[in-house]
């Protein structure tokens, strides 16, 4: 006889950096996206769903924060008759596909084209704790309008969206800045070196953390940070750094004051003045729509990393406090961001097509809602009809059909019914509020036993042995009262 | 000066076999999936969302209808520190990932585990007309129950689901068969050759098309088909073919009759008898739940192509007539199918884990609902506030904010406002019901012009020149009546 070969079993494992989402996690995200889509629709935006797969050529290299952009995507080469074909890749965001869609369908789409899109995107990056290689984005963009009214509209919609999903007014702020103002500041500083400009932008981004004095140090010789490490400075003289400081500290009591300070900070730069004028227009439009600085505010410290932004940039921050890993209080932080990018469609068509949009970090926003207790936690399991007698499955099926037709979430226990304890353990694991029991005695009497599992769990924690033995959490009802009594008990339980 | 290089522009094109979905198409699918999830949830199923990406090893080779299973998926090799790592692939269905998920998380999941999943799957196949390489599936499965009560439950849920999305009772039927009955028939025929068994199964699948006489020919010497081509037969003798014919023609007036005929067809095969007993149990359970043969029926002609089915198989067919490409009437056909597959999890764990489930063809079901006029066609565009005076954007923004806060879908025209005709053309392209116009005259009077675009379109088709000139589709209202009058007009339009 031949030797038996050892069976090689596949590993049951998600690939590195991917995860599974179960039950309430999925339902809560779906519900949140439904609410967001409702707001976007009300604003006149149309849904768009493009495929997960694009040609590498169409996607381009716009991945943020990646030094080697080719390595940021999952890509493979098509095999066709001739051997090898196009390189394909999974999309890494929803903006690059939008640019492709608009260029491809521009003759059939209205201009301006307001669209929203929601779905997973993929990044071929080193996974880390809480950092996954597939995650959701939820975007809205207006393509084909150069008007800052389009940017203002996106900001207003972002505020409305946050309130619609359950972030209260006062718990968020949409902060607006303008790349042209930043460029104006760099211009009056006489900085033309790209690397040095990037260093200054990175420093500005740290203003929230290190404050004015810290930024002064970082723009100059450098700075000893909290951990004791020395951070090299940009190497500017104190005079050279002054416009940046003026810019960063330009936030005043009111919008008019901030705009005046910004105008001063950009000096005689035409680009800077254009940026300030755009911010002024946006503030006016938002004010007219009823969106005051309690919700949307001009804030010079907003930078946004992506290189493709060309005008207004914005960011939604949740301002309520949470406790960080080390137990220190800090504000929750950014959940959405975006801005104007006028060159993405041009890649395809050669013609300039202005565009602006926002992307919501779906998982961050869900986490925030979770912390605020604003997620509808319908995690109640089904009513479980237990199986006392394997031969009477049809009767149990009849019970559960009646409940389901009455809209009550319910099921028959479908495991091996031999051990009744396992059935109750299953109901417990499912978070079931009620178990229904019908043995031969109950059949003879035309009744059912109802077990209130929620009361039962409470009793198990607090009741004395005597109370427990009385089992007041279990009672008998006429079979004919099934739907009415179950509904009543669910109501009492607050389900 | 250096010569200017010719700019190489990327092609704005979806990869072959992929497509974009716009507006109502996306919204209708989302809504249908929401309704289906509601039914699944009521039946006690929990949502699961696994990643699009799995290891090739975990996916296995279960692709249906593909001779070279490796070529049916989009796959690529990970690059890690050592150079090359795991092969990854996009999932080709939702069942293979479920088997992996259950094997991976089985200690934390309840057993039986009822789960539903909805999302895109990918097939690396040659695309054709109406055949795409990314499409949606919507599955429900029960893992860890060997009871046919689990299969019966899935069939009942499938019937409820079809009615919930808008397929009327009488317009669908869920047909049930059992692989064990089929195997019993093959057993009594003395067929042990795998290839020949597969040929017989394929022939059974054609029963609906070619009828009893056709199947007899195909099981024997062969058959001249309608196009004049000769189809080779399986080569069985007339006597050998008899059990198949008995099996196929076993459908009787009622379920009891069908079951008796099937029992006769499987003769003394123990496997066959087991299959018939399972069908009988399912029929009893369904009857007890109120699902009679007008909705769920035992039908021996159901085969289902997939090799991994081991017991009950089922299929939902829409029975209403449509007209095919050549103008001939035919029934709409299958929109969902599934069955019991007891070996998929075993691949990972070595232990047998019984499972059963169904997959709904989302796009087919959407197409059916579209034909029946059952898709909520909220394709109405937004109310468009036109821009007569570029400097008064803030006022227009105020108008649109008021409308949106009242829940009315609306927007300001954000294109270049110079040409007013373009603004109306845009409103037309968006399917807008109403345009709002406010020029200097109206500002002075504190009014707005309201243009009823739906009446306007009707007039344009039928009105005389005189009627047209009176322009009754446009009228003036006080600015203060904005929300009330727009809402009234939308109601009148039936929006």
């Amino acid at each position: 006889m031949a030797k038996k070969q050892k069976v090689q079993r596949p590993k049951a494992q998600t690939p590195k950096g991917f995860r599974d989402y179960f039950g309430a996690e999925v339902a809560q995200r779906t519900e949140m996206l439904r609410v967001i889509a409702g707001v976007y629709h009300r604003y006149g935006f149309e849904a768009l769903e493009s495929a997960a797969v694009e040609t590498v050529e169409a996607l381009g290299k716009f991945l943020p924060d990646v030094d080697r952009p080719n390595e940021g995507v999952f890509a493979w080469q098509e095999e066709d008759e001739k051997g090898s074909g196009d390189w394909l890749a999974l999309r890494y965001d929803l903006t690059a596909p939008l640019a492709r869609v608009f260029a491809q369908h521009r003759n059939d789409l209205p201009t301006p084209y307001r669209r929203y899109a929601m779905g997973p995107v993929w990044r071929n990056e080193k996974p880390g704790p809480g950092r996954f290689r597939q995650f959701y984005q939820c975007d809205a963009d207006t393509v084909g309008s150069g008007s800052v009214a389009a940017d203002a509209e996106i900001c207003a919609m972002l505020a409305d969206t946050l309130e619609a999903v359950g972030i209260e007014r006062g718990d968020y702020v949409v902060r607006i800045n303008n790349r042209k103002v930043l460029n104006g500041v760099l211009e009056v500083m006489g900085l033309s070196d790209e690397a040095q400009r990037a260093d200054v932008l990175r420093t500005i981004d740290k203003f929230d953390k290190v404050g004015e004095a810290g930024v002064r140090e970082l723009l100059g010789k450098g700075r000893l940070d909290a951990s004791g490490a020395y951070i090299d400075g940009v190497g500017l003289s104190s005079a050279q750094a002054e416009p940046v400081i003026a810019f960063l500290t330009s936030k005043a009591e009111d919008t008019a004051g901030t705009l005046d300070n910004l105008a001063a900070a950009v000096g005689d730069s035409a680009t800077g003045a254009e940026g300030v004028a755009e911010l002024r227009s946006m503030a006016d439009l938002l004010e007219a729509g009823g969106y005051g600085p309690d919700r949307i505010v001009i804030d010079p410290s907003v930078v946004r990393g992506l290189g493709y932004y060309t005008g207004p940039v914005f960011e939604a921050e949740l301002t309520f406090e949470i406790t960080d890993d080390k137990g220190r209080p800090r504000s929750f932080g950014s959940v959405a961001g975006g801005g104007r990018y006028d060159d993405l469609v041009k890649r395809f068509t050669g013609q300039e097509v202005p565009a602006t949009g926002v992307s919501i970090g779906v998982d961050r926003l869900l986490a925030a809602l979770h912390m605020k207790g604003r997620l509808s936690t319908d995690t109640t399991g089904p009513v479980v009809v237990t199986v006392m007698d394997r031969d009477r499955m049809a009767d149990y099926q009849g019970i559960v059909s009646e409940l389901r037709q009455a809209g009550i979430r319910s099921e028959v226990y479908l495991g091996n019914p031999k051990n009744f304890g396992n059935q109750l353990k299953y109901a417990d694991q499912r978070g079931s509020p009620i178990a229904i029991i019908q043995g031969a005695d109950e059949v003879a009497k035309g009744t059912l036993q109802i077990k209130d599992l929620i009361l039962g769990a409470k009793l198990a924690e607090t009741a004395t042995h005597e109370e427990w033995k009385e089992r007041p959490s279990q009672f008998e009802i006429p079979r004919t009262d099934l739907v009415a009594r179950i509904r009543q008990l669910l109501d009492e339980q607050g389900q």
Side-chain angles (χ1 to χ4, degrees), chain A:
Chain A
M1 236 176 100
K3 252 192 186 168
K4 235 187 183 170
Q5 276 201 302
K6 193 171 173 246
V7 184
Q8 276 288 347
R9 295 196 195 293
K11 274 195 289 286
Q13 199 101 48
T14 37
K16 259 181 299 178
F18 292 88
R19 57 162 293 197
D20 302 312
Y21 293 82
F22 294 93
E25 288 178 305
V26 179
Q28 286 163 347
R29 181 171 54 204
T30 304
E31 174 58 15
M32 191 182 82
L33 293 178
R34 192 184 69 79
V35 172
I36 294 175
V39 178
Y40 287 179
H41 183 261
R42 183 150 45 85
Y43 268 76
F45 286 69
E46 296 287 343
L48 167 68
E49 188 171 326
S50 59
V53 179
E54 297 275 350
T55 63
V56 166
E57 180 190 2
L59 279 183
K61 301 177 180 177
F62 295 96
L63 258 185
D65 311 321
V66 170
D67 293 331
R68 301 158 303 172
N70 268 331
E71 304 196 4
V73 299
F74 292 105
W76 63 90
Q77 193 169 17
E78 283 259 63
E79 282 175 36
D80 59 18
E81 295 76 18
K82 283 167 281 170
S84 60
D86 289 341
W87 275 88
L88 304 183
L90 293 177
R91 64 183 180 203
Y92 54 77
D93 73 1
L94 300 173
T95 310
L98 170 63
R100 193 269 304 153
V101 167
F102 187 81
Q104 181 172 346
H105 302 281
R106 63 189 181 281
N107 293 329
D108 303 317
L109 290 172
T111 305
Y113 177 48
R114 286 174 171 90
R115 88 87 180 79
Y116 70 85
M118 25 191 66
V121 300
W122 293 264
R123 302 266 170 98
N124 191 1
E125 291 168 355
K126 214 180 156 82
R131 187 185 166 95
F132 296 99
R133 304 206 284 174
Q134 172 176 331
F135 54 93
Y136 267 73
Q137 287 193 337
C138 174
D139 285 22
D141 296 77
T142 299
V143 182
S145 172
S147 166
V148 288
D151 302 278
E153 177 177 78
I154 298 259
C155 292
M157 186 166 72
L158 183 52
D160 280 7
T161 299
L162 292 175
E163 293 186 23
V165 301
I167 304 291
E168 278 172 17
R169 204 169 293 183
D171 270 349
Y172 72 88
V173 63
V174 177
R175 307 188 300 156
I176 305 180
N177 196 4
N178 193 307
R179 274 291 166 85
K180 291 176 185 168
V181 177
L182 269 173
N183 291 339
V185 170
L186 298 176
E187 207 179 300
V188 296
M189 291 169 72
L191 279 190
S192 53
D193 180 55
E194 268 304 322
Q196 216 174 18
R197 287 171 83 121
D199 283 346
V200 172
L201 287 181
R202 255 195 294 277
T203 307
I204 291 172
D205 224 4
K206 289 184 187 146
F207 177 65
D208 277 349
K209 256 192 218 154
V210 303
E212 185 184 332
V215 166
R216 273 187 200 278
E217 288 175 343
L218 286 171
L219 289 173
K221 287 184 183 159
R223 182 173 183 270
L224 208 64
D225 82 358
S227 70
Y230 194 81
I231 312 293
D232 282 340
V234 181
L236 303 181
S237 72
S238 178
Q240 246 186 325
E242 210 43 58
V244 178
I245 302 298
F247 167 76
L248 279 174
T249 56
S250 57
K251 197 149 174 246
E253 279 297 299
D254 57 16
T255 306
T258 305
L259 288 168
D260 288 347
N261 290 341
L262 284 175
V266 298
D268 58 0
S269 156
T271 305
E274 200 178 311
V276 175
E278 287 181 3
L279 284 176
R280 197 180 301 272
S281 291
M282 285 180 70
D284 289 347
L285 289 166
L286 288 165
E287 194 71 41
Y291 297 84
D294 57 324
R295 293 198 269 171
I296 306 181
V297 68
I298 291 171
D299 185 332
S301 69
V302 176
V303 171
R304 307 290 308 154
L306 286 176
Y308 61 59
Y309 290 126
T310 53
V313 288
F314 26 86
E315 193 162 75
E317 192 189 330
L318 302 191
T319 50
F320 57 82
E321 274 195 357
I322 57 166
T323 312
D324 73 7
D325 296 345
K326 287 171 186 157
R328 291 169 304 203
R330 62 169 183 86
S331 78
F332 186 89
S334 172
V335 290
R340 177 164 287 280
Y341 53 97
D342 284 346
D343 299 329
L344 274 192
V345 177
K346 192 180 177 184
R347 287 183 60 229
F348 296 101
T349 62
Q351 292 161 317
E352 207 153 287
V353 180
T356 183
V358 70
S359 181
I360 293 180
V362 173
D363 298 312
R364 296 256 317 144
L365 186 53
L366 274 172
L369 291 170
H370 187 70
M371 282 179 189
K372 296 292 275 183
R374 288 308 177 85
L375 286 175
S376 68
T377 43
D378 182 14
T379 53
T380 315
V383 171
V384 169
V385 179
T386 59
V387 176
M388 296 297 281
D389 179 353
R390 192 190 288 261
D391 293 334
R392 291 189 39 258
M393 278 303 275
D395 292 347
Y396 302 131
Q397 192 58 51
I399 293 173
V400 89
S401 273
E402 235 178 286
L403 291 173
R404 285 168 178 166
Q405 263 145 50
I408 295 169
R409 186 176 198 212
S410 52
E411 54 172 64
V412 178
Y413 180 72
L414 288 179
N416 186 337
K418 216 168 54 184
N419 181 333
F420 189 69
N422 278 348
Q423 300 196 43
L424 291 184
K425 219 181 283 172
Y426 170 83
D428 184 51
Q429 202 178 359
R430 291 299 307 275
S432 302
I434 297 170
I436 295 177
I437 305 163
Q438 193 189 43
D441 287 359
E442 286 82 17
V443 174
K445 286 190 283 179
T447 62
L448 299 169
Q449 295 281 341
I450 301 299
K451 208 172 164 62
D452 180 340
L453 298 173
I454 292 184
L455 179 60
K458 270 189 215 142
L459 286 174
E461 276 177 20
T462 62
T464 63
H465 188 63
E466 291 307 302
E467 288 168 328
W468 180 244
K469 276 181 75 180
E470 289 166 16
R471 292 192 308 173
S473 65
Q474 185 167 331
F475 54 92
E476 199 163 351
I477 64 162
R479 167 71 178 80
T480 46
D481 290 357
L482 173 68
V483 169
R485 292 299 294 273
I486 294 291
R487 192 171 274 151
Q488 185 192 343
L489 181 51
L490 288 172
D491 282 349
E492 284 167 15
Q493 291 176 338
Q495 307 291 353

